[in-house]
Amino acid sequence: MTENQTCAPHTASPAAAGASVCGIAPIREILEQVRVLLTSMTDEQYVRSPVGAFQSSVGGHIRHSLDHIGALLRGFESGEIDYEARERGTAVESSRTAALDRIASLDAHLAGRLSEAPERPVRTWLMLRSDSPPVELVSTLGRESAFVLSHTIHHNAMVAAMLRIMQVEMPERFGYAPGTIAHLKRQSCAR
């Protein structure tokens, strides 16, 4: 167990999470992990493709995740989140510097949204089939923040696998889901 871990009992109470109920604080923490990671990579590692069985580059996964966070932020403004209205192949995908600039911009916008009400309703659009138009769904900012957080961690887990293949060091537990980290902490405390 590292010194940052505690052995506090597990709680399922959303209120215990305080301001992070809306998911903004955890998204900012994940962005910080990605920022630290990118500063330790080379430009060649960022754009290398394929990497083992992965056909896309680390930059492709990072661009995709940041696009979703951007869509979420636009939803805070408009009340509408269209996850399909994304650009592909932008500079963020091929330039670590562009990715770091985008992370700084997203983090600054997220920092101004910490007090958002998670129950605020939003409309979302998401493609469920490639041969059908996006479907419109009713959701809340809290639910969509949780989705974007989970989606980002999912892609970070794939990035972590790519980094292991390239033998690149990464932050501890990069790409781990919060539930997995909590489980590992409980196991460590039980010993």
Side-chain angles (χ1 to χ4, degrees):
M1 189 164 73
T2 68
E3 69 181 60
N4 291 334
Q5 295 175 318
T6 64
C7 290
H10 172 70
T11 177
S13 169
S20 67
V21 168
C22 198
I24 299 302
I27 292 172
R28 293 186 70 210
E29 292 167 11
I30 295 297
L31 280 177
E32 176 60 16
Q33 283 185 348
V34 173
R35 187 195 65 76
V36 169
L37 173 71
L38 294 187
T39 59
S40 69
M41 294 182 69
T42 67
D43 292 336
E44 188 279 327
Q45 291 166 336
Y46 187 71
V47 299
R48 187 184 304 175
S49 174
V51 179
F54 296 93
Q55 295 301 307
S56 59
S57 65
V58 168
H61 284 279
I62 299 299
R63 191 268 309 151
H64 179 78
S65 293
L66 298 183
D67 284 352
H68 277 72
I69 296 171
L72 175 68
L73 276 167
R74 287 191 296 278
F76 281 110
E77 297 292 332
S78 67
E80 299 180 347
I81 302 172
D82 186 350
Y83 293 112
E84 304 307 327
R86 292 178 282 116
E87 295 182 44
R88 291 173 169 82
T90 63
V92 171
E93 190 165 330
S94 58
S95 165
R96 283 187 313 133
T97 301
L100 288 166
D101 289 346
R102 183 69 175 142
I103 288 169
S105 173
L106 290 171
D107 185 60
H109 284 90
L110 287 167
R113 296 293 182 174
L114 288 171
S115 62
E116 287 286 345
E119 65 276 8
R120 184 176 147 204
V122 292
R123 295 187 310 159
T124 68
W125 286 267
L126 190 64
M127 284 189 76
L128 302 180
R129 298 181 58 166
S130 62
D131 59 353
S132 301
V135 296
E136 181 180 342
L137 303 167
V138 175
S139 187
T140 64
L141 284 178
R143 176 66 189 96
E144 294 309 306
S145 296
F147 162 71
V148 168
L149 176 67
S150 178
H151 176 264
T152 304
I153 291 169
H154 163 76
H155 279 275
N156 284 355
M158 288 188 276
V159 167
M162 297 166 77
L163 296 177
R164 284 186 199 97
I165 292 169
M166 293 191 282
Q167 299 181 337
V168 175
E169 288 194 30
M170 65 189 101
E172 184 181 12
R173 295 181 176 167
F174 183 82
Y176 280 45
T180 302
I181 295 171
H183 172 72
L184 293 172
K185 285 179 181 177
R186 287 192 300 273
Q187 278 190 325
S188 178
C189 290
R191 290 184 194 142

